[in-house]
């Protein structure tokens, strides 16, 4: 995995996260929507169930009430009848009245009877002889002398001492009471009639809280005689279909649940009571409950809204904080820490986020430090791979530099100045190496070790190394000008470069290791660096490097050397400049030196001596001077047997 | 009203002795004897000799009339001595004799003379349950049945009698009659049948009877 693609993936992730958080700004309203929706659903369910149960209960209650009311109504009627009977009994035992009857004076008796009935507030009074003929009828005087209209009532009175019945007299409903007039045995029947009219029913309604109508049934029609229902009530009511339990729905001005109660069954029809309860009145409690439910619903919706808003805020706020944190990290601010004061999962996320930031910061610190201690390329490689000891054989180009005469000047400068000088030099040089994609292996005092071709494969490792060497020499030239101004000693740099196979990798102990290189290639590069002294050159490369860079850089072959432990001699070259920047003098030097070297190797020593002499004279060429010394040695030796023009590098 | 059932037994009385005792049994329709029923001669072929009747007493003891049924001959004076410590107000609104003895203690000054045949129902104005009957008959021949429903009548020889029976609870308004023809043997087993009803009347409260059972 390369660092760049990972970085790209990271930023894509951050972008997606930010987008998601933009959606989260609606999180609050969504939560509100869900909670209130759920609440409304629950409330609606409750309402439907309550409504259903209440209506069912109400109907059952009304049914029950009506059944109870029917009993109460009948009981009240019976008690009223008993009351009236007792009144009638009391009146019948009036001694004066008995005395009046004994007079047999019809008019007096009639007058006394009216007086008597007025005491009981009776609406009608009858006096019946023991032979059941009506003697006096205050309602219908013409009935005198006729048989009494209800012999059964007289029979009952004779049997039980008193008789009472609800019946129609002259098409009006009366509670008719018959009691004997005892003197002390019966001498006549006193009969009192109490009209059952609207006020009477109104009294009963007060006690029972139901609407009551008194009707007589003839065939298929009901005739209303008295009622508590608001006027106008139709005189004739059709018969409603009665349910099996005796109830039926009666729709008048409003809807009633009704019940018909037979009060008296007579030959020509029957007297019935219609007791009913308005449905709307029964539901009054329900309507109150409905209001209460509505208030509770509104209250709970308000409360739930507040709770949802608070919950949403408590959830979305830390999420927003985290989103901002992620953005900050994405922009490289690893020091950003989030503050979430909760111990729940979101709090844990915040802690994890902060810990992540700390770790990222730590890693970044290591990365920065590594970049300073080792080459950034190596640092990156080390960070991206698991750290392992061991290496691999690769073709690399190794570069060694050294400052000529640094040991001498170190004695002249204070340590501070020395370190400052060295630091300035090393900083510039390491920058040049980095600029040429080289790996700075190590500093050894004033010496620099660098290589190309590892850990990142680079086919142009040799060219890069040579270009870097040239650049370093140029930079040093500039530094020298600076040093000259400051009166510091002038320093020169020697560079040795070799290309070939070497073992590269993490070398050292597990606690402390270097990414470095070992092998003959490396040794030769170091030797070449030192050989500069011998040849008086600035940059020395082996023939192996030369093979890679000859097209780009102008070089001159200086020598063929025998490296220790190797049979094959190695040609060494001095790098002059890039081809295109090669000056005329340099070209002359190169071609002149090449001719002279050819003459030397062809053992034309005299000729070679002349040619090198010219070069020394014209170019102050140190290498040419070296060869002049070699020719002198050879000539003085009288010509060596087996001369091959190859010298040991150790020399 | 119920139709009156009348059983008429015809017999012949042989007038030999000066006076014979006749036994007449009064039963209901089921044949059960009726006690305290009055049996009397309601008509006879020859009217009896006019005799001034003796005074008779109907007591009031412990807020009851004693006796409940008394048969008297027309013109009999009846006195109503009050043996209670409280006053009574004896009255009758019956057609045969309407009279009042307003609140008195002890014996009233004058007896009441029942001078018209018929049923007289006596009451007390201040005690509704007090009720007694005086059956006023024209004949001197009458008797009350004993617990076996048998009335002993001493009747002189005669051409024949019509016997009537009456009881306060008689269903019919008119008394039952039994005609006894001349030459009827005196041991003929005469039976009068009558239907009784339960009378409607005021009921004496248990406390008034002195029974400590209280009200219900």
């Amino acid at each position: 995995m390369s660092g760049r693609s990972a970085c790209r993936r990271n930023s894509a992730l951050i972008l997606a996260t930010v987008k998601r958080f933009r959606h989260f700004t609606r999180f609050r309203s969504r939560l509100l929507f869900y909670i209130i929706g759920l609440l409304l659903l629950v409330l609606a369910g409750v309402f439907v169930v309550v409504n259903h149960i209440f209506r069912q209960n109400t109907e059952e209650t009304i049914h029950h009430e009506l059944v109870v009311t029917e009993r109460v109504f009948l009981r009240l009627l019976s008690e009223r009848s008993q009351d009236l009977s007792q009144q009638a009994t009391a009146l019948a035992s009036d001694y004066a009245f008995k005395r009046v009857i004994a007079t047999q004076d019809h008019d007096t008796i009639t007058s006394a009877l009216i007086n008597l009935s007025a005491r009981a507030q009776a609406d009608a009074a009858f006096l019946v002889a023991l032979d059941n003929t009506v003697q006096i009828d205050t309602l219908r005087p013409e009935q005198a002398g006729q048989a009494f209209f209800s012999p059964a009532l007289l029979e009952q009175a004779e049997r039980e001492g008193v008789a009472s019945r609800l019946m129609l007299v002259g098409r009006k409903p009366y509670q008719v009471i018959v009691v004997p007039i005892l003197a002390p045995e019966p001498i006549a029947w006193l009969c009192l009639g109490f009209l059952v009219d609207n006020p009477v029913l109104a009294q009963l309604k007060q006690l029972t809280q139901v609407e009551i109508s008194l009707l007589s049934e003839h065939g298929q029609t009901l005739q209303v005689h008295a009622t508590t229902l608001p006027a106008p009530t139709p005189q004739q009511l059709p018969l409603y279909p009665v349910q099996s339990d005796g109830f039926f729905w009666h729709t008048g001005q409003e809807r009633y649940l009704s019940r018909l109660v037979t009060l008296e069954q007579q030959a020509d029809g029957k007297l019935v009571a219609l007791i009913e309860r308005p449905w709307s009145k029964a539901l009054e409690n329900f309507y109150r409950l409905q209001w209460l439910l509505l208030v509770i619903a509104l209250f709970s919706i308000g409360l739930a809204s507040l709770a949802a808003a608070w919950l949403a805020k408590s959830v979305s706020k830390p999420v927003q904080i985290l989103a901002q944190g992620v953005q900050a990290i994405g922009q490289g601010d690893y020091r950003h820490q989030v503050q979430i004061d909760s111990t729940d999962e979101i709090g844990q996320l915040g802690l994890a986020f902060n810990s992540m930031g700390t770790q990222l910061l730590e890693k970044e610190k290591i990365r920065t430090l590594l970049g300073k201690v080792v080459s950034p390329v190596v640092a990156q490689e080390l960070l991206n791979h698991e750290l392992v000891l061991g290496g691999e054989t690769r073709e690399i180009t190794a570069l060694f530099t050294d400052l000529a005469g640094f040991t001498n000047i170190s004695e002249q400068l204070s340590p501070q100045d020395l370190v400052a000088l060295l630091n300035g030099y090393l900083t510039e040089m390491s920058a040049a190496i980095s600029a040429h994609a080289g790996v700075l292996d190590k500093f050894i005092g004033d010496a620099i070790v660098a290589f190309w071709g590892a850990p990142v494969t680079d086919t142009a490792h040799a060219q890069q190394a040579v270009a870097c060497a040239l650049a370093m020499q140029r930079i040093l030239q500039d530094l020298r000008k600076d040093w000259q101004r400051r009166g510091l000693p002038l320093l020169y740099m020697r560079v040795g470069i070799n290309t070939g196979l070497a073992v590269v990798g993490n070398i050292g102990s597990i606690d402390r290791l270097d990414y470095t290189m070992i092998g003959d290639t490396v040794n030769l590069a170091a030797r070449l660096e030192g050989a500069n002294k011998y040849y008086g050159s600035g940059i020395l490369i082996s023939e192996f490097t030369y093979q890679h860079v000859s097209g780009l850089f102008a070089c001159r072959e200086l020598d063929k050397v025998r490296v220790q432990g190797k049979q094959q001699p190695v040609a060494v070259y001095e790098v002059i400049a890039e081809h295109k920047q090669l000056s005329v003098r340099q070209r002359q030097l190169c071609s002149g030196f090449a001719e002279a070297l050819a003459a030397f190797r062809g053992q034309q020593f005299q000729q070679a001596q002349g040619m090198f002499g010219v070069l020394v004279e014209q170019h102050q060429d140190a290498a040419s001077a070296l060869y002049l010394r070699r020719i002198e040695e050879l000539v003085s030796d009288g010509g060596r047997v087996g001369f091959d023009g190859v010298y040991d590098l150790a020399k | 009203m119920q139709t009156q059932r009348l059983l008429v037994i015809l017999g012949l009385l042989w007038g030999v002795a000066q006076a014979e005792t006749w036994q007449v049994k009064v039963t209901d329709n089921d044949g059960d004897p009726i006690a305290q029923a009055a049996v009397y001669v309601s008509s006879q072929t020859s009217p009896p000799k006019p005799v001034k009747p003796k005074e008779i007493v109907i007591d009031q003891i412990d807020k009851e009339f004693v006796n409940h049924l008394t048969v008297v001959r027309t013109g009999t004076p009846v006195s109503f001595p009050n043996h209670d410590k409280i006053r009574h107000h004896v009255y009758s609104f019956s057609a045969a004799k309407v009279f009042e003895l307003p609140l008195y203690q002890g014996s009233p000054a004058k007896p009441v003379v029942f001078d018209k045949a018929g049923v007289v129902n006596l009451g007390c104005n201040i005690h509704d349950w007090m009720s007694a009957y005086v059956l006023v008959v024209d004949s001197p021949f009458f008797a009350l049945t004993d617990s076996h429903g048998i009335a002993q009548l001493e009747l002189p020889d005669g051409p024949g009698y019509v016997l009537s029976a009456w009881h306060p609870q008689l269903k019919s308004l008119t008394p039952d009659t039994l005609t006894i023809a001349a030459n009827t043997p005196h041991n003929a087993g005469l039976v009068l049948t009558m239907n009784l009803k339960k009378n409607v009347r005021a009921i004496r409260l248990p406390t008034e009877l002195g029974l400590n059972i209280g009200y219900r």
Side-chain angles (χ1 to χ4, degrees):
Chain A
M1 182 201 289
S2 81
R4 191 174 291 174
S5 75
C7 190
R8 197 173 299 143
R9 198 166 308 141
N10 275 342
S11 60
L13 202 73
I14 289 164
L15 257 173
T17 316
V18 168
K19 260 185 195 165
R20 204 170 303 155
F21 281 122
R22 241 176 245 146
H23 280 288
F24 254 83
T25 54
R26 290 186 301 160
F27 174 76
R28 199 174 298 182
S29 47
R30 225 162 56 208
L31 192 70
L32 206 66
F33 176 76
Y34 288 140
I35 286 182
I36 289 178
L38 202 67
L39 191 69
L40 280 177
L41 217 63
V42 169
L43 285 171
V46 166
F47 185 79
V48 166
V49 169
V50 166
N51 187 27
H52 179 71
I53 290 174
F54 203 94
R55 276 176 186 274
Q56 213 170 25
N57 277 359
T58 303
E59 197 168 330
E60 273 171 28
T61 306
I62 297 187
H63 272 75
H64 184 69
E65 269 179 18
L66 280 180
V67 170
V68 170
T69 303
E70 179 189 325
R71 270 187 241 141
V72 171
F73 175 71
L74 291 175
R75 181 67 188 267
L76 282 171
L77 272 187
S78 147
E79 281 186 357
R80 184 166 184 271
S81 150
Q82 276 182 17
D83 280 356
L84 295 176
S85 298
Q86 281 171 3
Q87 282 188 39
T89 306
L91 287 179
S93 56
D94 184 82
Y95 185 71
F97 187 59
K98 294 176 197 170
R99 204 187 261 168
V100 169
I101 290 174
T103 62
Q104 296 189 334
D105 177 358
H106 186 268
D107 290 344
T108 311
I109 296 172
T110 305
S111 182
L113 183 64
I114 290 169
N115 177 56
L116 207 65
S117 67
R119 286 191 204 165
Q121 294 178 330
D123 300 292
F126 313 85
L127 192 70
V128 184
L130 291 182
D131 63 359
N132 291 7
T133 56
V134 175
Q135 289 189 320
I136 299 162
D137 184 335
T138 60
L139 206 61
R140 300 161 299 179
E142 73 279 3
Q143 289 285 315
Q146 304 282 318
F148 185 60
F149 53 81
S150 179
L153 209 56
L154 295 177
E155 279 169 34
Q156 191 193 345
E158 196 173 1
R159 235 178 10 253
E160 298 166 11
V162 62
S164 173
R165 188 169 295 177
L166 194 67
M167 60 197 300
L168 290 177
V169 182
R171 290 187 189 158
K172 283 186 176 173
Y174 284 90
Q175 183 75 43
V176 178
I177 317 281
V178 173
V179 287
I181 297 170
L182 300 170
E185 308 285 327
I187 54 170
W189 301 107
L190 174 65
C191 176
L192 294 175
F194 298 89
L195 192 61
V196 182
D197 50 7
N198 289 354
V200 172
L201 291 187
Q203 273 183 349
L204 288 174
K205 182 190 171 180
Q206 270 193 334
L207 293 168
T208 56
Q209 294 300 319
V210 291
E211 304 291 345
I212 306 167
S213 303
L214 188 67
L215 311 103
S216 58
E217 188 183 319
H218 299 281
Q220 283 302 302
T221 56
L222 291 165
Q223 190 183 357
V224 180
H225 295 289
T227 181
T228 56
L229 285 173
T233 310
Q235 283 294 303
Q236 308 263 319
L237 282 178
L239 277 177
Y240 288 92
V242 179
Q243 293 164 16
S244 58
D245 54 2
F247 292 93
F248 63 93
W249 288 101
H250 163 215
T251 315
Q253 282 177 328
E254 53 181 316
R255 197 154 177 258
Y256 296 95
L257 186 65
S258 314
R259 198 168 158 80
L260 271 180
V261 187
T262 302
L263 300 174
E264 288 291 346
Q265 181 85 51
Q266 288 170 328
D268 56 339
K270 56 184 178 181
L271 270 176
V272 289
L274 177 69
I275 56 179
E276 45 197 359
R277 193 161 172 158
W279 184 236
S280 61
K281 198 151 189 174
L283 284 180
E284 257 175 13
N285 281 336
F286 175 64
Y287 295 136
R288 262 204 296 281
L289 187 73
Q290 262 186 335
W291 275 109
L292 193 68
L293 276 180
L294 191 65
V295 169
I296 289 173
L298 287 176
F299 183 70
S300 45
I301 284 171
L303 216 63
S305 304
L306 286 176
W310 177 81
L311 196 66
K313 195 181 167 192
S314 70
V315 171
S316 68
K317 185 93 180 183
V319 169
Q320 280 172 350
I321 289 172
L322 280 169
Q324 285 166 4
V326 169
Q327 260 178 317
I329 296 278
Q331 287 161 6
D333 178 11
Y334 299 128
R335 288 180 192 284
H336 188 95
Q337 295 273 296
V338 295
Q339 183 76 34
I340 294 169
D341 300 321
S342 67
T343 51
D344 55 9
E345 289 87 339
I346 289 171
Q348 285 169 10
L349 179 62
L351 288 178
F353 178 86
N354 285 344
S355 149
M356 177 191 81
T358 312
Q359 280 171 20
L360 282 175
L361 188 64
E362 208 61 32
K363 204 168 176 184
E364 183 63 16
K365 271 184 195 164
I366 291 167
R367 190 195 301 270
T368 313
L369 201 63
L370 264 178
K372 283 175 184 162
V373 175
V374 301
S375 160
V377 180
V378 176
Q380 193 64 53
E381 193 70 14
L382 287 175
L383 287 168
N384 289 345
H385 291 96
E386 209 179 323
L387 213 53
V388 285
L389 285 172
E392 51 182 336
T393 305
R394 277 207 191 192
E395 194 188 51
I396 58 155
T397 298
L399 178 145
F400 281 76
T401 72
D402 198 11
L403 279 178
F406 182 75
T407 322
N408 296 336
I409 68 148
S410 66
E411 289 162 7
Q412 301 166 21
L413 291 172
S414 67
Q416 286 84 1
D417 288 345
L418 186 70
V419 170
L421 181 85
L422 194 57
N423 281 356
Y425 163 74
L426 291 176
T427 302
E428 293 287 341
M429 291 307 128
S430 76
I433 292 165
S434 285
H436 287 84
V439 174
L440 179 63
D441 189 346
K442 58 182 76 84
F443 297 126
I444 307 163
D446 59 320
I448 299 169
V449 183
F451 57 88
W452 279 258
V456 182
T457 309
D458 184 0
T459 48
H461 50 87
Q463 290 97 317
Q464 289 275 36
V466 174
C468 183
L470 284 171
M472 287 162 88
Q473 290 291 10
R474 271 199 305 276
I475 289 162
L476 187 60
Q477 224 169 344
D478 293 340
L479 278 176
R480 270 199 298 272
K481 286 176 192 165
D482 185 42
W483 291 338
Q484 200 168 19
R485 263 203 315 277
R486 289 159 58 188
L488 292 169
L490 301 180
L491 295 168
Y492 292 88
M493 183 172 63
R494 297 188 294 259
V495 181
I497 296 171
N498 184 28
T499 298
L501 293 175
V503 174
V504 291
N506 295 313
I507 294 160
S509 72
I510 191 72
D511 301 322
R512 160 117 203 156
L513 45 80
D514 288 322
Y515 188 81
T516 185
M517 52 189 176
I518 46 175
D520 290 342
T521 303
V522 182
N523 295 339
L524 181 55
R527 293 279 181 79
L528 287 175
E529 180 265 308
N532 280 304
K533 228 184 294 179
Y534 179 59
Y535 297 110
S537 56
I539 303 167
L540 266 188
I541 64 173
S542 71
E543 63 171 273
F544 311 115
T545 306
Y546 177 73
Q547 286 162 11
H548 288 283
V549 302
S550 59
L552 274 174
F553 302 100
C555 308
R556 61 169 171 164
E557 185 179 353
L558 287 183
D559 203 357
K560 266 192 172 68
V561 294
R562 193 171 286 115
V563 181
Q564 206 173 12
K566 300 270 169 128
Q567 285 302 311
Q568 199 64 33
V570 176
V572 297
Y573 295 79
E574 184 191 14
V575 178
I576 307 298
E578 278 181 55
H579 278 305
K580 50 190 178 187
Q581 288 176 346
L582 196 65
S583 62
V584 178
R585 262 179 67 85
Q586 282 173 325
R587 192 172 290 127
Q588 284 171 352
L589 175 67
C590 283
S591 58
F593 190 81
E595 280 170 25
L597 189 63
F600 176 79
R601 287 190 178 149
Q603 302 189 17
Q604 308 292 320
F605 294 124
Q606 217 160 355
Q607 195 186 345
Q609 198 170 26
M611 291 165 119
F612 282 125
V614 172
L615 288 174
V616 169
E617 207 170 297
Q618 287 179 353
H619 293 277
Q620 292 82 44
D621 183 32
S624 298
L626 172 66
Y627 272 93
L628 286 177
R629 282 199 300 280
R630 281 183 179 175
I631 291 165
E632 277 173 27
E633 275 178 31
L634 285 167
V635 170
S636 65
D637 283 0
R640 263 194 191 173
V641 182
F643 171 78
D644 55 359
V646 175
Y647 288 81
D648 287 340
L649 196 57
K651 288 176 186 171
Chain B
M1 276 296 162
Q2 301 265 338
T3 41
Q4 179 194 337
R5 273 198 199 170
L6 186 66
L7 177 67
V8 179
I9 299 171
L10 289 171
L12 198 67
L13 290 173
W14 296 96
V16 181
Q18 224 181 358
E20 291 273 1
T21 303
W22 294 76
Q23 288 194 351
V24 179
K25 186 169 189 181
V26 179
T27 64
D28 61 14
N29 277 345
D30 297 330
D32 292 330
I34 296 171
Q36 291 295 307
V39 179
Y40 62 96
V41 174
S42 51
S43 72
Q44 53 198 88
T45 46
S46 59
K49 284 181 257 175
V51 184
K52 185 176 167 70
K54 282 188 208 161
E55 186 178 301
I56 282 181
V57 170
I58 296 177
D59 297 303
Q60 293 131 65
I61 302 167
D62 190 21
K63 301 167 204 161
E64 296 285 359
F65 287 110
V66 181
N67 292 318
H68 183 58
L69 171 59
T70 309
V71 188
V72 297
R73 192 180 170 182
T74 317
T76 306
V78 180
S79 74
F80 296 93
N82 178 1
H83 300 281
D84 290 337
K85 285 179 180 170
I86 54 157
R87 292 163 194 262
H88 287 297
H89 181 157
V90 180
Y91 70 87
S92 159
F93 295 129
S94 303
K97 184 70 187 175
V98 178
F99 74 93
E100 272 185 82
L101 298 171
L103 293 169
Y104 67 94
Q105 274 186 317
S107 294
K110 280 195 285 181
V112 178
V113 179
F114 291 80
D115 45 11
K116 198 174 160 191
V119 175
V120 177
N121 189 194
L122 302 173
C124 172
N125 186 20
I126 60 173
H127 300 107
D128 285 349
W129 65 89
M130 284 174 69
S131 178
Y133 286 89
V134 178
L135 179 66
V136 185
V137 295
D138 290 328
S139 157
F141 308 113
F142 47 78
L144 291 175
T145 56
D146 59 15
S147 57
H148 303 292
I150 293 170
Q152 313 268 352
L153 275 172
E154 285 206 6
L155 294 176
D157 283 346
Y161 301 93
V162 175
L163 291 182
S164 288
W166 187 88
H167 188 274
Q169 282 166 263
L170 191 67
K171 245 182 184 171
S172 162
L173 288 176
T174 50
D176 286 5
T177 56
L178 172 65
T179 302
I180 301 173
N183 305 320
T184 303
H186 67 274
N187 56 352
L190 300 170
V191 176
L192 273 166
T193 309
M194 58 169 63
N195 282 329
L196 296 188
K197 62 172 183 183
K198 200 182 162 198
N199 264 6
V200 178
R201 55 175 289 194
I203 297 160
R204 187 171 184 179
L205 293 172
T207 45
E208 278 294 336
L209 283 169
L211 300 174
N212 190 22
I213 58 167
Y215 290 96
R216 291 218 168 197

